[in-house]
DNA sequence: TGGGTGCATGGGG
DNA sequence: TCCCCATGCACCC
């Protein structure tokens, strides 16, 4: 089907890449050519194409120009309670401020795990999700937003936009997403089904990202099953994470005060859904396949939990985690195994905050035995204990070697602790590290590897990436190996930390990148000899040249093909030619018959396809 | 003497 | 500056 750029002033029919624009009133998204789509992604669409149109207003607060009434800027502004409009950042900060005084939690919250949240006594900042209607969240807007988004489609935000979004999405590492301190608490499965867990709301968190501000990334990380970390603790109503009732008040006086009231920027409520109720209506057909760092549902010490311990788990994996349709899986935390953890000593150092939040309280160094099931349902008993350490404690699980060996884990792999409710059964899943080559990887049937989570023995080979043939970007994002989230594993030498987002962006191999490097136009090389080879040495750094395709005829003759940036036609070039980043037909000095865009294509459709095939093979 | 245990140390956030 | 935590290491069996 022929596409046409929906930008009225463009209406291009060909482009190097079609992009998604705003959500249409009906289903789907506006189709934009590469340039227009990029402008849209970079939030400068209206500034670029609608400058002469009416409807421009200024943000009441910061004065930023806003193109009101235009669908392309629909999500970039909001109406202020006081009248007028504000850019989304200002509106958000205003709204959040209005949220701050919201209190908290009543005592009549059902005292049942998974259905309540509690307030921090003396924590006036805590608020409950139930109050969301009362604190000015605009559900209508959420619904609107949700219509325009594909919650399961991270490709909605092509990587190319990351740099352009005020550095927001691209720069904020997922793991750095801070818990929504001072915000809504958690775990209202019932309510989830009524509101937040509805498909609309579950999408809304992703929709937030459309706004292109840093907070969105925080929300993005919540996914359709986003959790809020802020279950207040240590209140009479708080429910221990385990049915056994591991309630201890030792954290009560240790809640870091700094975390209250610092974060005030969420305009939309986080879906207060800390757990996945398998088989619930909510989840049907909307299992997220995006690996998401989920703020744990609750825990005594949750205020201390660092995002790096948030379990990263797809909804699908959650579903795999339990075969019991009535079970609720509560991801608790995860930890990348250090060399010590995976070593022969058999001690797995637990993050203190996690241990105190999710494992039973222990007052003696000897601790107590903890029964944890592995992914195959095999039950292991570890000694959960601590060592005194600098007036603090260092929590460890002892006796993990057999289990770790059984799972074939090694340093760098990740273990994920979850809990199945009801029952409070602890489950230990794992995710292999990117550089982990072992049996499981080799067993992977679809060729994907690493960064995968395994929870269910029966589905051990049902990998996260398996069986998906579309939504390439999404797939890529899932299959991208997890970056190391902790310090260097097993080595103190410095190494480049490649974050997941970076990895997604880095679609070129080194060799491919070399192919694209061109001397800068002004550069004059100095020829130097290195081991009898001539090298051109440039003072100027290289620039990226236009990517071309090389083909070889059966005769052995090589050809180079380049696509015109203007008309998108492919032109044949001498193989030795290096093109600048921007190249059009008029720059075609080598074929006077095809030095204009109006000149017909040299290749018919079939040949073009063949060309692409070749380019993919090469 | 070797492995296990408990604590100390120090880098890094 | 404090605290966490990876790991070193001394001590014990």
């Amino acid at each position: 089907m022929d596409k046409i750029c929906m930008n009225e002033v463009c209406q291009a029919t060909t482009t190097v890449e079609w992009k998604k624009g705003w959500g249409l009133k009906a289903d789907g998204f506006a189709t934009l050519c590469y340039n227009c789509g990029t402008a849209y992604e970079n939030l400068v669409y209206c500034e670029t194409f609608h400058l002469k149109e009416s409807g421009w207003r200024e943000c009441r607060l910061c004065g930023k120009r806003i193109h009101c009434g235009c669908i392309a800027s629909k999500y970039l502004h909001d109406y202020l309670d006081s009248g007028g409009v504000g850019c989304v950042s200002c509106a958000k900060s205003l709204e959040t401020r209005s949220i701050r005084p919201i209190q908290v939690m009543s005592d009549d919250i059902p005292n049942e795990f998974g259905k309540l949240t509690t307030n921090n006594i003396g924590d006036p900042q805590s608020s409950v999700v139930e109050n969301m209607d009362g604190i000015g969240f605009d559900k209508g807007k959420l619904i609107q937003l949700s219509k325009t988004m594909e919650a399961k489609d991270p490709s909605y935000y092509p990587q190319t936009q990351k740099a352009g979004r005020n550095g927001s999405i691209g720069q904020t590492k997922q793991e750095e997403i801070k818990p929504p301190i001072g915000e809504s608490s958690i775990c209202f499965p019932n309510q989830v089904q009524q509101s937040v867990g509805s498909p609309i709301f579950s999408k809304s968190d992703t929709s937030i990202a459309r706004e292109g501000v840093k907070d969105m990334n925080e929300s993005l990380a919540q996914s359709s099953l986003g959790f809020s970390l802020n279950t207040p603790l240590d209140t009479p109503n708080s429910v221990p994470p385990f049915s056994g009732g591991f309630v201890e008040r030792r954290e009560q006086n240790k809640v870091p005060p700094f975390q209250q009231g610092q974060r005030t920027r969420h305009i939309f409520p986080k879906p207060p859904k800390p757990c996945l109720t398998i088989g619930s209506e909510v989840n049907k057909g909307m299992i997220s396949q995006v690996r998401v760092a989920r703020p744990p549902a609750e825990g005594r010490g949750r205020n201390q939990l660092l995002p790096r311990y948030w379990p990263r788990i797809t909804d699908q994996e959650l579903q795999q985690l339990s075969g019991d349709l009535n079970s609720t899986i509560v991801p608790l935390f995860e930890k990348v195994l250090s060399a010590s953890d995976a070593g022969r000593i058999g001690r797995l150092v637990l993050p203190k905050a996690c241990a105190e939040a999710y494992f039973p309280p222990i007052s003696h160094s000897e601790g107590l035995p903890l029964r944890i099931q592995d992914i195959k349902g095999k039950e292991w008993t570890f000694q959960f204990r601590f060592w005194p350490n600098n007036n603090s404690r260092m929590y460890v699980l002892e006796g993990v070697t057999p289990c770790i060996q059984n799972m074939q884990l090694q340093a760098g792999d990740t273990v994920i602790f979850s809990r199945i409710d009801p029952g409070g059964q602890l489950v230990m899943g794992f995710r292999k590290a990117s550089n982990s080559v072992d049996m499981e990887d080799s067993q992977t049937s679809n060729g994907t590897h690493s960064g995968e989570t395994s929870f269910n023995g029966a589905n051990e080979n049902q990998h996260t990436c398996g069986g998906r043939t579309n939504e390439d970007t999404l797939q890529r994002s899932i299959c991208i190996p997890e970056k190391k989230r902790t310090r260097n594993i097993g080595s103190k030498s410095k190494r480049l930390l490649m974050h997941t987002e970076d990895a997604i962006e880095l679609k070129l191999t080194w060799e491919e990148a070399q192919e694209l490097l061109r001397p800068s136009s002004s550069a004059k090389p100095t020829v130097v000899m290195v081991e009898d080879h001539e090298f051109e040495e440039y003072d100027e750094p290289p620039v990226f040249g236009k990517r071309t395709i090389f083909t070889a005829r059966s005769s052995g003759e090589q050809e180079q093909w380049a696509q015109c940036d203007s008309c998108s036609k492919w032109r044949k070039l001498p193989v030795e030619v290096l093109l600048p980043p921007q190249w059009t037909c008029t720059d075609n000095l080598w074929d006077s018959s095809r030095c204009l865009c109006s000149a017909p294509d040299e290749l018919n459709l079939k040949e073009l396809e063949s060309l692409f095939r070749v380019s993919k093979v090469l």
Side-chain angles (χ1 to χ4, degrees):
Chain A
M1 192 173 68
D2 293 337
K3 287 185 175 181
I4 182 168
C5 176
M6 288 182 68
N7 179 3
E8 285 184 343
V9 300
C10 173
Q11 298 192 337
T13 54
T14 58
T15 179
V16 290
E17 181 184 346
W18 291 104
K19 296 199 168 209
K20 285 180 182 176
W22 49 87
L24 303 175
K25 290 176 182 173
D27 288 339
F29 300 87
T31 303
L32 296 174
C33 70
Y34 180 83
N35 288 337
C36 300
T38 302
Y40 181 72
E41 290 165 356
N42 292 333
L43 310 179
V44 294
Y45 184 87
C46 288
E47 284 89 330
T48 307
F49 301 111
H50 296 161
L51 261 185
K52 293 179 181 174
E53 287 191 12
S54 61
W56 285 94
R57 300 181 67 179
E58 291 184 351
C59 170
R60 275 280 180 93
L61 298 159
C62 70
K64 182 180 174 183
R65 298 190 75 207
I66 301 165
H67 193 208
C68 299
C70 176
I71 194 169
S73 290
K74 190 174 174 181
Y75 308 117
L76 302 181
H77 67 280
D78 203 354
Y79 304 110
L80 302 178
D81 286 343
S82 57
V85 296
C87 68
V88 70
S89 305
C90 296
K92 171 178 284 191
S93 65
L94 265 188
E95 275 198 56
T96 312
R97 256 176 263 160
S98 74
I99 293 169
R100 303 309 306 165
I102 294 296
Q103 308 277 325
V104 218
M105 302 315 310
S106 56
D107 288 339
D108 57 0
I109 295 165
N111 191 3
E112 177 187 349
F113 170 68
K115 293 185 179 177
L116 63 77
T117 183
T118 59
N119 67 308
N120 283 338
I121 292 177
D123 172 14
Q125 307 296 358
S126 296
S127 61
V128 287
V129 173
E130 283 176 320
N131 285 337
M132 77 171 71
D133 284 339
I135 56 180
F137 292 125
D138 185 345
K139 282 186 181 176
K141 182 176 176 182
L142 284 175
I143 293 169
Q144 275 190 327
L145 286 169
S146 66
K147 284 180 180 174
T148 68
M149 297 295 300
E150 292 179 339
K152 296 178 187 176
D153 185 3
S155 63
Y156 189 84
Y157 300 114
Q159 297 303 318
T160 51
Q161 78 187 57
K162 295 198 299 185
R165 286 181 177 267
N166 302 325
S168 58
I169 293 179
Q171 291 178 6
T172 307
K173 308 298 183 290
Q174 205 175 39
E175 73 181 43
E176 290 167 354
I177 296 161
K178 302 297 188 297
I181 301 300
E183 247 205 33
S184 302
S185 299
I186 55 152
C187 204
F188 288 83
N190 294 341
Q191 190 178 13
V192 162
Q193 297 189 24
Q194 295 161 9
S195 58
V196 182
S198 70
I200 285 172
F201 271 76
S202 65
K203 286 182 177 183
S204 66
D205 54 345
T206 311
S207 308
I208 297 167
R210 174 64 248 151
E211 298 173 17
V213 290
K214 189 168 183 176
D215 296 36
M216 298 167 192
N217 202 34
E218 302 171 4
S219 302
L220 197 62
Q222 302 299 317
S223 90
S224 63
L225 293 171
F227 299 27
S228 183
L229 188 56
N230 250 23
T231 308
L233 70 166
D234 296 331
T235 67
N237 285 327
S238 69
V239 172
F242 299 92
S243 58
F246 301 155
V247 179
E248 189 179 42
R249 302 210 164 221
R250 63 175 178 244
E251 289 294 321
Q252 189 161 358
N253 299 322
K254 296 169 64 178
V255 176
F258 69 90
Q259 292 178 334
Q260 302 300 340
Q262 275 198 340
R263 303 183 59 77
T264 61
R265 298 174 60 193
H266 282 288
I267 189 167
F268 300 123
K270 296 284 189 301
K273 187 181 179 188
C275 41
L276 174 68
T277 303
I278 301 298
S280 70
E281 290 299 320
V282 177
N283 302 307
K284 285 179 183 171
M286 50 172 289
I287 300 297
S288 163
Q289 297 177 344
V290 182
R291 189 175 301 291
V292 171
R294 302 168 189 281
E298 75 299 296
R300 295 179 303 281
R302 91 283 179 239
N303 273 342
Q304 296 181 344
L305 299 190
L306 301 173
R308 72 168 180 264
Y309 299 126
W310 292 1
R312 288 156 188 270
I313 184 171
T314 67
D315 297 349
Q316 189 177 53
E317 288 162 355
L318 278 176
Q319 192 169 23
Q320 289 176 22
L321 187 55
S322 172
D324 180 355
L325 293 182
N326 294 316
S327 294
T328 298
I329 292 98
V330 184
L332 300 176
F333 66 95
E334 68 176 43
K335 194 206 173 194
V336 178
L337 294 179
S338 68
S340 307
D341 295 331
R344 291 171 50 201
I345 301 176
R347 299 189 296 208
L348 194 162
V349 175
L350 294 168
K352 181 170 179 267
C354 301
E356 293 184 341
Y358 301 115
F359 287 176
I362 47 179
S363 52
H364 299 292
S365 173
E366 300 77 39
L368 48 78
L370 211 55
R371 292 196 300 182
I372 302 180
Q373 275 186 5
D374 70 9
I375 56 169
K376 296 174 182 173
K378 180 174 172 54
E379 192 164 274
W380 303 84
T381 301
F382 306 127
Q383 189 70 18
F384 171 56
R385 59 172 310 182
F386 68 86
W387 307 319
N389 195 326
N390 292 337
N391 295 324
S392 181
R393 290 176 169 187
M394 191 161 170
Y395 290 90
V396 291
L397 275 185
E398 290 183 340
V400 298
T401 299
C403 177
I404 283 178
Q405 286 178 349
N406 187 267
M407 294 176 176
Q408 297 171 346
L409 300 181
Q410 50 190 297
D413 295 339
T414 303
V415 290
I416 305 169
F417 292 91
S418 303
R419 188 185 66 235
I420 298 178
D421 288 326
Q425 172 65 53
L426 282 171
V427 183
M428 192 172 159
F430 66 87
R431 183 168 59 249
K432 308 292 282 184
S434 57
N435 56 355
S436 173
V437 178
D438 61 10
M439 287 297 291
E440 180 172 272
D441 286 345
S442 63
Q443 288 169 1
T444 306
S445 58
N446 57 9
T448 61
H449 62 281
S450 74
E452 298 164 338
T453 310
S454 182
F455 282 102
N456 189 322
N459 297 320
E460 211 166 359
N461 286 327
Q462 183 181 337
H463 295 282
T464 309
C465 306
R468 296 185 193 132
T469 56
N470 55 0
E471 298 185 273
D472 184 52
T473 306
L474 169 62
Q475 194 174 31
R476 200 162 34 230
S477 72
I478 293 172
C479 295
I480 287 299
E482 288 286 318
K483 74 159 187 154
K484 295 290 182 299
R485 285 186 300 280
T486 57
R487 300 170 190 126
N488 297 334
I489 301 298
S491 167
K492 296 197 175 182
S493 60
K494 302 291 181 233
R495 70 174 81 163
L496 175 66
L497 272 181
M498 179 166 290
H499 302 288
T500 302
E501 295 82 356
D502 305 331
I504 293 170
E505 282 235 289
L506 190 60
K507 296 170 184 171
L508 301 177
T509 64
W510 172 248
E511 290 81 0
E512 287 170 329
Q514 288 289 312
E515 248 179 52
L516 303 183
L517 291 177
R518 305 283 184 268
S520 70
S521 54
S522 60
K524 294 281 183 293
T526 309
V527 176
V528 296
M529 298 292 290
V530 178
E531 293 182 358
D532 297 332
H533 293 283
E534 282 187 1
F535 286 85
E536 288 180 339
E537 197 174 74
Y538 292 88
D539 293 328
E540 300 290 322
V543 297
F544 276 95
K546 185 174 185 59
R547 192 172 194 186
T548 57
I549 293 176
F550 288 86
T551 59
R553 295 192 173 278
S554 53
S555 62
E557 180 194 358
Q558 283 200 322
E559 295 172 342
Q560 182 180 193
W561 296 85
Q563 189 176 30
C564 171
D565 286 325
S566 177
C567 69
S568 300
K569 293 190 180 80
W570 287 86
R571 305 300 190 195
K572 187 164 69 176
L573 310 171
V575 289
E576 69 277 6
V577 167
L578 300 176
L579 295 185
Q582 297 291 321
W583 186 86
T584 62
C585 293
T586 54
D587 301 319
N588 187 358
L589 310 174
W590 306 275
D591 186 352
S592 57
S593 65
R594 290 189 173 78
C595 60
L596 293 171
C597 291
S598 55
D601 238 328
E602 193 170 346
L603 299 172
N604 61 35
L605 194 60
K606 200 168 182 178
E607 290 169 325
L608 207 55
E609 285 177 1
S610 172
L611 185 67
F612 284 123
R613 262 201 306 278
V614 169
S615 73
K616 284 179 180 174
V617 169
L618 289 179

